[in-house]
Amino acid sequence: MKAEKTETNEKNAGGRPTAFKQEYIDLAYKFCLLGATDEQLAEFFNVAKSTINLWKQKQPKFLDALKRGKVVADANVAQALYRRATGYSHPETHVSNYQGQITLTEITKHYPPDTGAACFWLKNRQPDKWRNKVDVSASVKLDKETLEMIENQFITKMAEAHERQKEVLKERGIATEE
């Protein structure tokens, strides 16, 4: 005699019941808007990251909520970075208080372009043109003669530095003449 299929059995035939709840869809979307990673989602829902991955496979609406939340969050940050890199202005109300009299003045606040934000943007958008790495293609011949020349220059420079150091110590009264 076969057991009748119930709604619960159809959704989760065999195995442990799912911890997934429909309200997780909206919560996941909102948490992703805050920049949450899958690891953070797992911690938030008190499950393993593999469970989050399983929910993404089994719950299309959950996966869609994660994607939408992450895209919106990334787009907002990209827009803010772009505005910071290029500079922007916005209206603002300036509040001042002179002898107990409060004055509200409408002004336009301006933020000039930020070079750090611009560099970050360009390095990510056009890495071949704006990277810090410099390709150097030069061959150096290190024969015995070249190495001896480098060693002699090093010894000379170190001796000069040692003499300067002794002079400074004498001037400051830290060392006496030998």
Side-chain angles (χ1 to χ4, degrees), residues 59-159:
Q59 305 290 335
K61 289 182 181 178
F62 182 75
L63 176 61
D64 182 58
L66 296 183
K67 287 180 179 178
R68 285 185 300 112
K70 290 178 180 183
V71 165
V72 170
D74 289 348
N76 288 337
V77 171
Q79 180 184 23
L81 176 63
Y82 177 79
R83 290 183 73 204
R84 188 71 180 137
T86 59
Y88 64 99
S89 300
H90 68 89
E92 184 173 285
T93 303
H94 176 74
V95 180
S96 58
N97 181 355
Y98 179 71
Q99 296 180 347
Q101 182 69 30
I102 295 176
T103 306
L104 302 177
T105 308
E106 296 300 319
I107 62 170
T108 299
K109 185 118 182 193
H110 178 70
Y111 294 91
D114 179 275
T115 54
C119 286
F120 183 79
W121 178 270
L122 290 168
K123 285 177 187 178
N124 283 286
R125 297 281 293 158
Q126 300 175 3
D128 291 342
K129 295 179 183 175
W130 294 95
R131 63 182 176 197
N132 285 335
K133 182 181 173 186
V134 177
D135 289 329
V136 177
S137 57
S139 59
V140 177
K141 183 180 173 187
L142 292 177
D143 56 13
K144 185 177 180 182
E145 191 176 298
T146 305
L147 289 173
E148 285 175 0
M149 180 190 71
I150 292 171
E151 179 184 19
N152 289 335
Q153 287 178 351
F154 177 77
I155 291 170
T156 303
K157 295 280 185 191
M158 291 305 292

